[in-house]
Amino acid sequence: MILTEFEWQTLLLSLKIAGAAIIFSLPVGILTAWILARCQFIGKSLFDSIVHLPLVLPPVVLGYLLLLTMGRHGFIGEWLDKCFHLSFSFNWQGAALASAVVAFPLMVRSIRLAIESIDCRLENVARTLGAKPFRVFMTITLPLAFPGILMGIVLGFARCLGEFGATITFVSNIQGETRTLPLAMYTLLQIPDGESAALRLCIVSIILSLVALFLSEMLNRWHKKKLTGSK
């Protein structure tokens, strides 16, 4: 199947937005997962609920909240625009922000489960031998949690590719700027004789998701072989 110029533009824009969303949210996701897995503090249940709130809120609600807070006239967005000339309104950066917010809980959940599965005694032994907490995290926790981090990246990336409601509510549906694969399919279904083009984009989305899952499984197997020392 040879893609048209419109399909290539939509596909590359979707990959760009999803990639940016994962890259910039991954460090925060790892830190959040570690806090939920290893720390005990007052209000942890509330913090956990807030982190996972995007899982249960309608995406349109998330988009509206982003519009109120990060929009050009939002109390955070207006400050960012004035101080740093950074705007998330009606551009691909805003679409990446919306995708990151929606996918964040899936990423955190996978990474958290991976960290919780690590034997705490390994970390405790490293501390008794004089390793600082940051070194313990970088040399023990992070490598052992790699499969869960990888799965979190894949799930988050796939969720970003499928994001629709928050994106169209926050940054609208602008060709070449915020029109990702789902928004392009929605647009094609609103015009006469657009079903065949929408079907082509649907096939592209399915292939893209299958490739991402296949690569994740291959990397996961490679990591397990490396840990066990098998060839």
Side-chain angles (χ1 to χ4, degrees), residues 22-177:
I22 294 302
I23 289 172
F24 288 103
S25 63
L26 182 59
V28 181
I30 293 175
L31 177 61
T32 303
W34 180 82
I35 291 174
L36 291 174
R38 290 289 187 258
C39 299
Q40 298 295 330
F41 53 90
I42 298 175
K44 180 179 177 180
S45 298
L46 178 61
F47 178 66
D48 192 7
S49 299
I50 293 174
V51 168
H52 289 87
L53 193 60
L55 284 177
V56 295
L57 277 179
V60 175
V61 174
L62 292 175
Y64 181 65
L65 291 176
L66 285 172
L67 191 63
L68 292 178
T69 56
M70 304 299 294
R72 187 164 296 170
H73 300 292
F75 63 92
I76 298 178
E78 186 175 7
W79 175 76
L80 289 174
D81 192 19
K82 287 182 179 179
C83 297
F84 303 100
H85 303 288
L86 178 62
S87 175
F88 291 99
S89 299
F90 308 110
N91 54 40
W92 73 268
Q93 293 93 333
L97 176 61
S99 297
V101 170
V102 173
F104 190 73
L106 291 175
M107 182 190 303
V108 170
R109 190 169 184 83
S110 296
I111 300 174
R112 177 186 179 180
L113 291 175
I115 294 176
E116 288 178 341
S117 66
I118 299 173
D119 193 343
C120 294
R121 292 175 295 181
L122 297 174
E123 298 171 328
N124 293 333
V125 169
R127 294 190 188 97
T128 58
L129 294 175
K132 300 296 183 181
F134 181 74
R135 186 176 181 183
V136 172
F137 176 78
M138 294 299 296
T139 59
I140 296 178
T141 308
L142 205 59
L144 292 176
F146 177 78
I149 295 173
L150 182 61
M151 186 56 63
I153 291 174
V154 172
L155 289 175
F157 187 81
R159 183 63 185 88
C160 288
L161 288 176
E163 165 50 32
F164 176 83
T167 302
I168 198 171
T169 305
F170 181 39
V171 292
S172 189
N173 183 8
I174 305 173
Q175 171 62 28
E177 191 67 37

